[in-house]
Amino acid sequence: MNILFVVPYAPNPVRVRPYEFIRTLVRRGHQVTVATLWTSEQERSDLEQLKAAGAGVIAEPMHTAHSLLNSARALLGPTPLQASYSWNPRLMTRIREALQRLHVDAVHVEHLRGSRYAVGVRTFLNNAALPARPPIIWDSVDSISYLFEQAVQTSRTLRSRLITGIELERTRRHEAWLVGQFERTLVTSALDRAAFVGLLNEYFPEALPALAERIEVIPNGVDLERFAFRDPLERPPATIIFSGKMSYHANVTAALHLVNDVMPLVWAQRPDVQVWIVGRDPTAEVRKLAEGHPPLPSGKPRVMVTGAVPDMAEYIQAATIAVAPLLYGAGIQNKALEALACGTPVVATHQATAALNVVSGRELLIADGAEAFAQALLTLLADPALRARLGAAGRRFVEAHHSWDAAVARLEAIYQTPPLR
């Protein structure tokens, strides 16, 4: 098939879902043309890697000032800021040109930030005289309104609560409307699908059965070679890793909760434990977590905030325990899947694992609240046999349920959905 893949940010190993979809589609023999934006020289380099993997690339620069202007304009209307933030008319022009030139079999558009391009493609297809009309697949990834509903109540950053409060109602209505515009809407979990169905029931109850059928769940996978299994007993004895993009508001709140609420309870009994907060773009609040703590008995810092690292897998494979202490979130948490794939024992909240078919005590430990979370960490730190058992079970779980090939096989079938009339 010939796929036009529109994503409003440069795909890379951090933006793992579009990156792995594209690479796996190419590896399975499809022609993929990526239409995207770049904001830095690093992102331009990321796009060169996609070209080297066999994808075609259509790219336009996107300056922060342009995105902020888009957001300011959106404040005056009913459209969510997220749906306007990444709008670039030059990229839309090039997408229309590609549709005329490439004989596309399906158009895949990622995220609420990309939805305006999907609407633009729909408008173009309704008016263009093309020999064949490809279906439009909108990959929402998560329900952003479901995420916002939690953030308004739980986020520990005032900025996040203000933005989500402004965005919540317009995002709920817009997400419900978008489902009716395209052949299929994709999400990563059954929880996000249920959130979309709830929105449809509220805003378009008369069309609920037909529209609900358009929503499909395709979970995220893991690169099983990159995130390879490493024996949990061949690790340092007392290191805890929290990984992810550290400018994302849910991760910021989780990092603050981990260091300020959970770890003092752990350190009271295990003063030798070191915390690694690993991921790009840490906010000032996250960077400050590395300050104000006495060094470990070994002389190493008690909390290490790394920023971007060359290979996240190496850090996860070196840690004693991986944590996902999220207080709110949506979709599948890649940080949990990647740690499970590496055989790193995981402690996570119910919120972080709600989209995964895992059982506490079988593949990982689930705990909510600072005291319960700290106790789970102390239990694992003291029990090498439990770490070994959970590490092996976690790897088996990911191999069985979260390969990218299985996800893309389902995607290939969805790309053959008959176009709307």
Side-chain angles (χ1 to χ4, degrees):
M1 285 186 284
N2 193 345
I3 313 302
L4 179 60
F5 200 110
V6 183
V7 56
Y9 29 68
N12 58 37
V14 175
R15 294 158 176 159
V16 65
R17 185 173 172 92
Y19 178 76
E20 292 295 351
F21 275 169
I22 292 163
R23 293 204 316 154
T24 306
L25 283 164
V26 170
R27 181 164 47 79
R28 290 168 69 94
H30 302 289
Q31 178 67 45
V32 182
T33 301
V34 181
T36 190
L37 302 167
W38 57 269
T39 63
S40 67
E41 289 305 314
Q42 178 58 55
E43 291 189 349
R44 293 186 78 177
S45 176
D46 293 338
L47 296 179
E48 290 301 316
Q49 293 183 31
L50 282 183
K51 290 181 183 178
V57 174
I58 298 168
E60 289 289 336
M62 187 69 176
H63 302 293
T64 301
H66 189 167
S67 295
L68 293 176
L69 181 59
N70 285 344
S71 299
R73 288 170 173 165
L75 281 172
L76 304 176
T79 304
L81 275 63
Q82 287 271 340
S84 301
Y85 185 83
S86 298
W87 176 248
N88 186 311
R90 293 188 301 275
L91 181 61
M92 188 68 240
T93 296
R94 297 188 67 185
I95 289 170
R96 288 193 291 264
E97 292 170 351
L99 287 167
Q100 292 176 308
R101 183 180 74 251
L102 294 176
H103 305 291
V104 169
D105 296 302
V107 181
H108 182 132
V109 182
E110 162 120 346
H111 205 267
L112 182 59
R113 288 193 178 187
S115 61
R116 188 167 173 183
Y117 296 103
V119 173
V121 170
R122 170 62 70 218
T123 301
F124 175 77
L125 293 178
N126 286 344
N127 295 291
L130 297 181
R133 178 170 171 159
I136 302 171
I137 312 303
W138 175 49
D139 187 1
S140 174
V141 185
D142 310 322
S143 168
I144 301 301
S145 60
Y146 174 55
L147 179 66
F148 283 172
E149 286 169 0
Q150 300 171 72
V152 167
Q153 301 297 322
T154 311
S155 175
R156 295 196 179 183
T157 66
L158 178 60
R159 177 177 176 272
S160 175
R161 291 198 301 272
L162 287 173
I163 292 175
T164 54
I166 292 169
E167 282 278 85
L168 179 55
E169 181 52 37
R170 64 171 79 191
T171 302
R172 296 178 80 253
R173 182 180 295 276
H174 197 68
E175 283 188 326
W177 176 77
L178 285 169
V179 174
Q181 307 310 303
F182 314 119
E183 281 75 9
R184 289 292 183 270
T185 292
L186 308 183
V187 290
T188 60
S189 77
L191 287 176
D192 291 273
R193 186 181 188 280
F196 267 101
V197 171
L199 294 175
L200 293 172
N201 188 49
E202 180 176 349
Y203 293 106
F204 304 103
E206 71 288 347
L208 175 61
L211 291 180
E213 290 182 356
R214 298 186 190 180
I215 306 171
E216 302 262 5
V217 176
I218 297 188
N220 284 349
V222 179
D223 183 336
L224 296 174
E225 293 184 4
R226 179 181 171 214
F227 292 93
F229 180 83
R230 184 174 295 176
D231 189 336
L233 301 183
E234 296 179 0
R235 316 283 184 100
T239 56
I240 292 172
I241 185 171
F242 176 51
S243 62
K245 186 178 180 183
M246 291 302 157
S247 60
Y248 176 49
H249 52 88
N251 284 341
V252 173
T253 293
L256 295 173
H257 172 60
L258 173 66
V259 175
N260 294 333
D261 303 334
V262 175
M263 290 311 301
L265 302 175
V266 175
W267 285 322
Q269 298 186 47
R270 289 290 302 266
D272 59 324
V273 175
Q274 185 180 40
V275 175
W276 301 344
I277 299 177
V278 184
R280 62 185 294 184
D281 303 329
T283 64
E285 294 163 299
V286 173
R287 291 196 302 270
K288 189 175 289 187
L289 292 174
E291 304 170 2
H293 302 285
L296 296 172
S298 65
K300 295 180 180 179
R302 195 168 292 271
V303 178
M304 183 173 67
V305 178
T306 67
V309 296
D311 188 353
M312 180 68 77
E314 291 185 0
Y315 280 81
I316 297 173
Q317 291 161 342
T320 314
I321 300 170
V323 294
L326 273 74
L327 300 180
Y328 66 93
I332 285 180
Q333 298 301 321
N334 291 327
K335 58 178 62 64
L337 285 180
E338 290 166 356
L340 291 168
C342 291
T344 308
V346 174
V347 179
T349 59
H350 277 92
Q351 184 62 56
T353 58
L356 300 175
N357 187 26
V358 291
V359 175
S360 185
R362 187 177 68 189
E363 291 92 4
L364 75 178
L365 298 183
I366 300 175
D368 294 313
E371 291 186 5
F373 206 95
Q375 186 55 57
L377 289 173
L378 289 166
T379 297
L380 268 179
L381 287 166
D383 192 339
L386 178 60
R387 296 202 302 271
R389 179 169 63 80
L390 292 180
R395 175 68 184 194
R396 290 195 299 270
F397 169 80
V398 174
E399 288 176 339
H401 302 288
H402 290 280
S403 76
W404 283 114
D405 272 302
V408 169
R410 293 188 61 189
L411 196 57
E412 290 166 339
I414 290 170
Y415 285 161
Q416 300 179 55
T417 302
L420 294 173
R421 298 298 179 186

